[in-house]
Amino acid sequence: MSALTPVMSAATINEYLNKVFPQLNNGHQDYEALEIFPGGCTVRLNACERHIRPGGTVSGPALFALADIGGYVCVLSHVGPDALSVTTNLNINFMRKAEPGPIDGKCRILKLGRSLMVYDIEIVAGPEQHIVAHATGTYSIPPKRNFDVVK
Amino acid sequence: MSALTPVMSAATINEYLNKVFPQLNNGHQDYEALEIFPGGCTVRLNACERHIRPGGTVSGPALFALADIGGYVCVLSHVGPDALSVTTNLNINFMRKAEPGPIDGKCRILKLGRSLMVYDIEIVAGPEQHIVAHATGTYSIPPKRNFDVVK
Amino acid sequence: MSALTPVMSAATINEYLNKVFPQLNNGHQDYEALEIFPGGCTVRLNACERHIRPGGTVSGPALFALADIGGYVCVLSHVGPDALSVTTNLNINFMRKAEPGPIDGKCRILKLGRSLMVYDIEIVAGPEQHIVAHATGTYSIPPKRNFDVVK
Amino acid sequence: MSALTPVMSAATINEYLNKVFPQLNNGHQDYEALEIFPGGCTVRLNACERHIRPGGTVSGPALFALADIGGYVCVLSHVGPDALSVTTNLNINFMRKAEPGPIDGKCRILKLGRSLMVYDIEIVAGPEQHIVAHATGTYSIPPKRNFDVVK
């Protein structure tokens, strides 16, 4: 994985996400890139009342969105700012309940090809940073990267 | 599947969802149960501006939420109103882009055991009702059903 | 799905599989294409002593192989005899135990693109044809189809 | 994961597998446990001519079987010799082609509950130990462990 080199920083990606994908945070700061490193990234969900489900724990869709955005940040940070990459497959296992608070997703690029990226993400939460969910996904990267298409 | 018998109607489930899971719709009518039938159900996402992603199509998390709620409605309608069933695994394939508008998820219970339910959902959209996504998931059903726990 | 048209028959595919993929059956007649139809196919595993696991039921890998070959037969039958298509993702749920005997996989092409095919397969067995497993998978189709490459 | 303690060694597990699951290796030494450690294990496929598919690379079902046996060895080594644990879900991504030779699966238990174990496995091969496949799976552990049931 050492061969992979990020081309965007976490701060630049957060700005970019706010511009091209305002629905993601909708004026809040729910989802954000924390760190980009060669071959991966860490993303965070600042989970609050809006993200809970019956039982008072963070909902599956909120955690799925973190897993999905983690892959998006992997593509953006390692391929460049092309907003049109899309998820083609995502498999997620929910293992423990997560309370509201910061929930971190540690993403790792398993393969970065010309047209597909495969990654996994370990989602941890709480004082002991237990694994609350784990996901594996694939993004399709558009063949012609028109970096100006979404502005 | 003919051995399965629903115990709640779509209308009752929609009321129940609004009560126990207000975060799902947050005052809107985004996600709803359309129909319950023996061995499955149909759920709908009324997709609008709030659900789109870069490119103007419905986002992955919005479709995942439909797939997830479809399983939840399968459990509620066939096991009874216990809000505490939780997703343990969900695998989703995104196949075509979906425009804003009604997006329907046709759910089928593949297995209903004492502690686990496995189902799949075919998500269709547009004038030709093309398959835009397909998911398979598992719900864990709590051993003791305390129907009063969430009120 | 009615737009899809098969280009090979079940008999031709079985011959082709024996030629290009002798390891699949290894002199037996374990795995075979039963029927090809527009948008899908039916494949069979003739499960016997060789396919069982502790408990006397058909093993996970034997059912996975049926799910995998079902996708392969979908690609071959609808795209043409290019042996080099490969599985990129497969998700399988095992729901009931299957006894030795004929086990049928009913495959449906969910999307056939230029470079990827997504399909699902329902695996049924026994006198009541219960669903014993269900899988969803993706095949990558090589960009240049050289039908003579494997002979 | 440090809280998990293995109760069987790799050698004992290989003996046990030969006794209760002779179909796995069928007189060969294809699949074996290499190492057991707290919270996981390493399993190996000694891939040869019997495991290849069109194109001369190791087949999907052969790699799936390694992923599946990796989870089985996780359960056996950390719960005890109950052969009747079964896979309920397995999701596998194939990322690179693997040549015949030793192929190692590094397994990690993500959650070990009373009735379910979730794990992932990274499958590496070749001189550079590239990731050729990655899988996530769930095993169902029988409620009453009758260690004498399969002898």
Side-chain angles (χ1 to χ4, degrees):
Chain A
M1 281 303 120
S2 57
L4 298 176
T5 310
V7 297
M8 290 177 83
S9 69
T12 314
I13 281 177
N14 287 327
E15 265 179 55
Y16 183 77
L17 287 174
N18 282 336
K19 194 171 65 178
V20 301
F21 194 1
Q23 295 86 355
L24 176 66
N25 279 315
N26 199 20
H28 303 282
Q29 197 67 359
D30 293 348
Y31 294 93
E32 53 177 335
L34 278 196
E35 189 195 356
I36 310 295
F37 50 84
C41 69
T42 304
V43 288
R44 175 169 287 179
L45 162 60
N46 296 295
C48 64
E49 176 69 21
R50 270 175 287 115
H51 304 102
I52 65 173
R53 51 151 284 148
T57 55
V58 178
S59 77
L63 295 175
F64 174 90
L66 183 65
D68 196 36
I69 208 70
Y72 199 48
V73 171
C74 280
V75 175
L76 292 173
S77 61
H78 284 76
V79 174
D82 181 348
L84 297 182
S85 294
V86 292
T87 319
T88 58
N89 171 261
L90 203 146
N91 181 64
I92 186 164
N93 282 286
F94 299 101
M95 279 163 285
R96 290 177 189 83
K97 296 178 184 202
E99 307 289 324
I103 298 181
D104 288 355
K106 299 170 178 183
C107 298
R108 189 172 54 132
I109 299 174
L110 297 172
K111 182 189 179 180
L112 181 56
R114 268 170 310 176
S115 62
L116 292 177
M117 184 203 67
V118 184
Y119 71 106
D120 71 358
I121 175 170
E122 191 170 304
I123 299 180
V124 299
E128 300 186 48
Q129 295 284 287
H130 278 310
I131 302 179
V132 297
H134 181 280
T136 313
T138 302
Y139 263 79
S140 172
I141 305 170
K144 290 176 184 174
R145 292 168 200 144
N146 181 353
F147 292 167
D148 302 325
V149 81
V150 182
K151 269 192 170 163
Chain B
M1 281 306 115
S2 56
L4 297 176
T5 309
V7 296
M8 290 176 82
S9 69
T12 313
I13 282 178
N14 287 327
E15 264 179 56
Y16 184 77
L17 287 175
N18 283 336
K19 193 173 64 177
V20 301
F21 195 1
Q23 294 86 354
L24 176 68
N25 280 315
N26 200 19
H28 302 283
Q29 197 67 358
D30 295 347
Y31 295 92
E32 55 178 333
L34 278 195
E35 190 193 358
I36 310 295
F37 49 85
C41 69
T42 304
V43 288
R44 174 168 289 181
L45 162 60
N46 296 295
C48 65
E49 177 70 20
R50 270 174 288 114
H51 304 102
I52 66 174
R53 51 151 283 148
T57 54
V58 178
S59 77
L63 295 174
F64 174 90
L66 183 66
D68 195 37
I69 208 70
Y72 199 49
V73 171
C74 281
V75 175
L76 291 173
S77 61
H78 285 75
V79 175
D82 180 349
L84 297 182
S85 294
V86 293
T87 318
T88 58
N89 171 262
L90 203 146
N91 181 64
I92 186 163
N93 282 286
F94 299 101
M95 280 163 285
R96 291 177 189 83
K97 296 178 183 202
E99 308 288 326
I103 299 181
D104 288 355
K106 300 170 177 183
C107 298
R108 188 172 55 132
I109 298 174
L110 297 173
K111 181 190 178 181
L112 182 55
R114 269 169 310 173
S115 62
L116 293 176
M117 183 204 68
V118 184
Y119 71 106
D120 71 357
I121 174 169
E122 190 170 305
I123 298 180
V124 299
E128 300 185 50
Q129 294 286 286
H130 278 308
I131 302 179
V132 297
H134 181 279
T136 314
T138 303
Y139 263 79
S140 172
I141 305 169
K144 290 177 185 173
R145 292 168 201 143
N146 181 353
F147 292 169
D148 301 327
V149 80
V150 183
K151 268 193 172 162
Chain C
M1 280 304 118
S2 56
L4 297 176
T5 310
V7 297
M8 289 177 81
S9 68
T12 314
I13 282 178
N14 287 327
E15 264 179 54
Y16 183 76
L17 287 175
N18 283 335
K19 193 172 64 176
V20 301
F21 195 1
Q23 294 86 354
L24 177 67
N25 279 316
N26 198 20
H28 302 282
Q29 197 66 358
D30 294 347
Y31 294 93
E32 54 178 333
L34 277 195
E35 189 194 357
I36 310 295
F37 49 84
C41 69
T42 304
V43 288
R44 174 168 288 181
L45 162 60
N46 296 295
C48 65
E49 176 70 20
R50 269 175 287 113
H51 304 103
I52 65 173
R53 51 151 282 147
T57 55
V58 178
S59 77
L63 295 174
F64 174 91
L66 182 66
D68 195 38
I69 208 69
Y72 199 49
V73 170
C74 281
V75 176
L76 291 174
S77 62
H78 284 76
V79 174
D82 181 348
L84 297 183
S85 295
V86 292
T87 317
T88 58
N89 171 261
L90 203 145
N91 181 63
I92 186 163
N93 283 286
F94 298 101
M95 280 163 286
R96 290 178 189 83
K97 297 178 183 202
E99 307 288 325
I103 298 181
D104 287 356
K106 299 170 178 182
C107 297
R108 188 173 56 131
I109 297 174
L110 297 172
K111 182 189 177 181
L112 181 56
R114 268 170 310 175
S115 62
L116 292 177
M117 182 203 69
V118 184
Y119 72 105
D120 72 356
I121 175 169
E122 192 171 304
I123 299 180
V124 299
E128 299 186 50
Q129 294 286 287
H130 279 309
I131 303 180
V132 296
H134 181 279
T136 314
T138 303
Y139 263 79
S140 172
I141 305 170
K144 291 177 185 175
R145 294 170 198 142
N146 180 353
F147 292 167
D148 301 326
V149 80
V150 183
K151 267 190 171 164
Chain D
M1 282 303 117
S2 57
L4 298 175
T5 310
V7 297
M8 289 176 82
S9 69
T12 313
I13 282 178
N14 287 327
E15 264 179 54
Y16 184 76
L17 286 175
N18 282 336
K19 192 173 66 178
V20 300
F21 195 1
Q23 295 85 355
L24 176 67
N25 279 315
N26 199 19
H28 303 282
Q29 196 68 355
D30 294 348
Y31 294 92
E32 54 178 335
L34 278 196
E35 190 195 355
I36 310 296
F37 49 84
C41 68
T42 304
V43 288
R44 174 169 286 180
L45 162 61
N46 297 294
C48 64
E49 176 69 20
R50 270 174 287 113
H51 304 103
I52 67 174
R53 51 151 284 148
T57 54
V58 177
S59 77
L63 294 174
F64 173 90
L66 182 66
D68 195 38
I69 208 71
Y72 199 49
V73 170
C74 281
V75 176
L76 292 173
S77 62
H78 285 74
V79 175
D82 181 349
L84 297 182
S85 294
V86 292
T87 317
T88 57
N89 172 260
L90 203 146
N91 181 64
I92 186 163
N93 282 286
F94 298 101
M95 280 163 285
R96 292 177 188 83
K97 297 179 182 201
E99 308 288 324
I103 298 180
D104 287 356
K106 298 169 178 184
C107 296
R108 189 172 54 132
I109 297 174
L110 297 172
K111 182 190 179 181
L112 180 56
R114 269 171 309 176
S115 62
L116 292 177
M117 183 203 68
V118 184
Y119 72 106
D120 72 356
I121 175 170
E122 192 171 303
I123 299 180
V124 299
E128 302 186 48
Q129 294 285 288
H130 278 310
I131 302 179
V132 297
H134 181 280
T136 313
T138 303
Y139 263 78
S140 172
I141 305 170
K144 290 177 185 173
R145 293 167 201 145
N146 180 353
F147 292 169
D148 301 326
V149 79
V150 182
K151 271 196 167 158

